[in-house]
Amino acid sequence: MTTPAAAAEQAAQRIAHGYDTTAPAVVVGSVVIDQTAEPTALVRIPLSMFNRHGLVAGATGTGKTKTLQVLAEQLSAAGVPVFMPDIKGDLTGLAVSGEPNAKIQQRARDTGDDWAPATVPVEFLSLNGQGTAIPVRATIDSFGPILLSKVLGLNETQESTLGLIVHWADQRNLPLLDLKDLRAVIMHLTSDEGKEDLRGLGGVSKATAGVILRAVTNLDAQGGDRFFGEPELQVEDLLRVGADGRGIVTLFEASGLQTNPALFSTFLMWLLAELFEQLPEVGDVDKPKLVFLFDEAHLLFADASKAFLQAVQQTVKLIRSKGVGVFFCTQLPTDVPAAVLSQLGARIQHALRAFTPDDQKALKATVKTYPITQDYDLSAALTSLGTGEAIVTVLSEKGSPTPVAWTRVRAPRTLMAPAPPATVAAAVAASPLFARYGSDVDRESAYEMLTARLAPPAPTPSAPAPSAPAPSGSAAPPAPSLGPDGWPSLTPEPYNPYLDEPAPPTTRSQPSPGSGSGLGEVLSNPAVTSFMKSLGSSLGGALGRSVFGTRKRRR
């Protein structure tokens, strides 16, 4: 006769058999039957399945953040870079070894883990002007009208109007790098001098343009003027692996989330869009090139336009083939639109609360999304899970759902608390990214070009005076030349990375001997590098844009 304990162990092993794999995998934890964890019945996610995306959900205080910490630790150890927002500041503990205690030791025994303190290589980033980490920025041009409309809180009519305004700036070769550039373009279109240009756009009312201008001004007052600009974050800096083979975890400080949640969530979506546009197709890989852990994902979809939701759905669906995995983290699965939720192969569901009719409705909807199981009453299980426990199902290597597993999640090996501020400050100062992104770059763009066009012409002198050589460093920069239509132009026309065909080569004079070293120093300067990378965005006539309206780059 089989005892209850033996029956529970057999059930646990049967469930764990669905998670068996010989390939590299992340161990989430061990199977729980009748409130007892079986240490040898392990729940795993194969590395090759992380680009099938996933969901980590649960009520506040149920252990979602610690689950993300466990995933990040093991992915990094396997050589996979990770990007994750740090909402509360406690994920900075990834850079510090964990501290053993009785609870951790008990959790290690329950989950079959030979726990030992460890650290993870971490880079600390924050929106420029909204944190103490390495500042990151993006240009208005690269953000595009759809993402920018989400930040500005525009309706669909205003979103389409903003798209026309950006298109007009493209056609006029006016680079939109920061908010003052966008404001200058809108102010021009609503001025007496720009009324003909506004009329030429068709369907754009002066009143709608005025609403957009007020939204831009409000964003400026909230600190958006610090975020938009150069040097722009380059996505290849998120894909780095350390000299020891461990993937670097990039923590994005989001402590200012409450001030402008739309800017925070839309910036993360911009990063995904940039990854989608710039990374090559790789198909199915043994391990992902990057895993993107998207905390507080409900902010991304709140008050989103139809065009934005469609773009998110398409990006999540297609970015898998670029070797990127996306895990959304939120309180309720219903926070994620059904069209996006259907693309997520892994489900790690922490405890749900069912105190209100809406909660009970969400609970029923969650239960229906899991495979049928005879081992658990999911409605009861989802409200009975302890802290650090979750109901898990993932895609196996064969692409089929694994059995539903009540899982006790392993304890993180890094510190489950914020790192000391001095540790973070030292890591920021020592980072190679600080030299690249630490200082603002403000080059000539739409604001300066429009100002030059509207400036009155200089008076013609009656007689030319002999010109004295200007002292070194005091020469004023030349004003931009005007094209045949009266608009400033960039002459000579630079190389444009967005064009489908490269520009014909031009004849260049040979450099004098010994000049190569100085040229190399100039070209390696961060300001010059940022200028050269984004200069092509000024050539709007031949530009294409992605599903989000972001710039398409020619690889």
Side-chain angles (χ1 to χ4, degrees):
M1 182 177 178
T2 304
T3 64
E9 182 178 351
Q10 291 174 5
Q13 295 294 346
R14 174 173 46 80
I15 293 171
H17 181 64
Y19 293 86
D20 285 345
T21 178
T22 58
V26 167
V27 179
V28 180
S30 59
V31 177
V32 174
I33 297 288
D34 295 336
Q35 305 295 324
T36 301
E38 174 52 51
T40 61
L42 299 180
V43 175
R44 303 176 176 91
I45 307 177
L47 288 180
S48 60
M49 303 307 291
F50 265 87
N51 66 346
R52 266 44 172 205
H53 313 317
L55 174 73
V56 179
T60 301
T62 57
K64 298 189 302 295
T65 301
K66 298 301 177 281
T67 297
L68 295 180
Q69 194 168 345
V70 168
L71 296 179
E73 288 176 0
Q74 296 189 49
L75 287 167
S76 173
V80 177
V82 177
F83 179 91
M84 57 194 308
D86 187 10
I87 307 298
K88 296 171 287 188
D90 49 355
L91 285 173
T92 57
L94 282 163
V96 181
S97 296
E99 299 174 351
N101 56 45
K103 289 184 177 180
I104 287 179
Q105 291 169 352
Q106 181 60 52
R107 182 58 64 103
R109 287 191 292 270
D110 289 345
T111 57
D113 185 13
D114 55 345
W115 190 93
T119 61
V120 169
V122 180
E123 289 281 8
F124 300 94
L125 304 182
S126 65
L127 293 182
N128 188 34
Q130 298 193 21
T132 58
I134 299 167
V136 296
R137 310 163 188 81
T139 64
I140 295 289
D141 257 335
S142 70
F143 232 60
I146 296 178
L147 291 176
L148 190 58
S149 296
K150 179 74 162 57
V151 175
L152 296 174
L154 305 182
N155 60 32
E156 292 189 6
T157 300
Q158 294 157 357
E159 179 181 305
S160 64
T161 298
L162 180 61
L164 290 173
I165 292 172
V166 171
H167 176 71
W168 180 85
D170 281 350
Q171 297 299 314
R172 293 293 184 179
N173 299 343
L174 298 173
L176 300 176
L177 304 182
D178 49 31
L179 287 181
K180 75 175 185 294
D181 292 324
L182 181 59
R183 189 188 303 111
V185 169
I186 299 174
M187 291 179 68
H188 166 75
L189 292 173
T190 55
S191 68
D192 291 339
E193 294 83 358
K195 64 175 60 176
E196 290 300 320
D197 295 310
L198 184 66
R199 186 179 299 113
L201 286 177
V204 175
S205 71
K206 187 174 182 178
T208 302
V211 171
I212 298 173
L213 181 60
R214 288 193 294 273
V216 171
T217 303
N218 290 337
L219 178 60
D220 196 339
Q222 295 172 8
D225 59 322
R226 298 291 305 281
F227 166 62
F228 287 105
E230 293 182 311
E232 185 174 80
L233 178 66
Q234 302 300 309
V235 295
E236 57 264 24
D237 288 326
L238 307 180
L239 308 175
R240 295 182 299 139
V241 176
D244 57 1
R246 292 185 297 169
I248 293 178
V249 176
T250 302
L251 278 186
F252 176 62
E253 180 184 335
S255 57
L257 169 66
Q258 294 81 6
T259 305
N260 196 335
L263 179 59
F264 155 79
S265 60
T266 312
F267 167 72
L268 297 184
M269 199 63 233
W270 171 79
L271 277 183
L272 269 186
E274 287 290 288
L275 287 165
F276 175 71
E277 289 298 328
Q278 296 188 37
L279 295 182
E281 295 278 345
V282 295
D284 293 326
V285 289
D286 293 336
K287 63 182 181 181
K289 299 174 68 174
L290 175 72
V291 173
F292 199 107
L293 303 178
F294 205 136
D295 203 1
E296 300 294 341
H298 66 280
L299 297 173
L300 178 66
F301 304 106
D303 303 320
S305 67
K306 183 178 179 180
F308 182 87
L309 292 177
Q310 289 175 341
V312 172
Q313 179 185 350
Q314 183 173 348
T315 301
V316 171
K317 181 186 298 183
L318 299 178
I319 202 171
R320 179 188 70 80
S321 63
K322 305 296 183 85
V324 177
V326 182
F327 274 62
F328 293 98
C329 185
T330 187
Q331 293 195 12
L332 294 171
T334 51
D335 292 336
V336 181
V340 176
L341 196 62
S342 65
Q343 306 294 325
L344 311 181
R347 298 283 300 278
I348 303 176
Q349 177 66 63
H350 289 268
L352 290 174
R353 309 299 182 217
F355 299 141
T356 69
D358 286 344
D359 291 342
Q360 294 170 3
K361 184 178 179 181
L363 174 61
K364 291 180 181 179
T366 301
V367 169
K368 291 180 180 179
T369 63
Y370 276 89
I372 297 174
T373 176
Q374 304 299 323
D375 298 298
Y376 310 107
D377 177 354
L378 286 181
S379 295
L382 286 169
T383 56
S384 305
L385 292 165
T387 302
E389 294 181 344
I391 299 296
V392 177
T393 182
V394 304
L395 289 180
S396 70
E397 292 172 292
K398 297 179 181 179
S400 59
T402 57
V404 175
W406 182 325
T407 305
R408 189 159 294 169
V409 181
R410 285 186 166 181
R413 299 187 175 199
T414 53
L415 186 66
M416 290 189 284
T423 300
V424 177
V428 169
S431 171
L433 299 185
F434 187 78
R436 185 176 306 174
Y437 300 117
S439 301
D440 292 314
V441 174
D442 188 10
R443 65 179 177 88
E444 183 182 73
S445 51
Y447 172 80
E448 290 80 11
M449 296 172 76
L450 284 170
T451 302
R453 179 179 186 267
L454 298 176
T460 304
S462 55
S467 58
S472 175
S474 64
S481 59
L482 302 183
D485 56 359
W487 285 93
S489 62
L490 296 175
T491 305
E493 199 168 275
Y495 168 71
N496 178 11
Y498 302 101
L499 287 174
D500 291 331
E501 297 295 334
T506 56
T507 304
R508 299 179 183 272
S509 59
Q510 295 296 322
S512 58
S515 65
S517 174
L519 178 61
E521 291 179 1
V522 171
L523 293 178
S524 64
N525 183 282
V528 177
T529 302
S530 175
F531 170 78
M532 295 301 293
K533 285 184 176 179
S534 59
L535 189 56
S537 64
S538 65
L539 303 176
L543 293 179
R545 289 187 177 269
S546 71
V547 292
F548 276 108
T550 58
R551 294 289 189 188
K552 282 187 176 180
R553 299 175 185 265
R554 179 168 58 83
R555 298 190 193 98

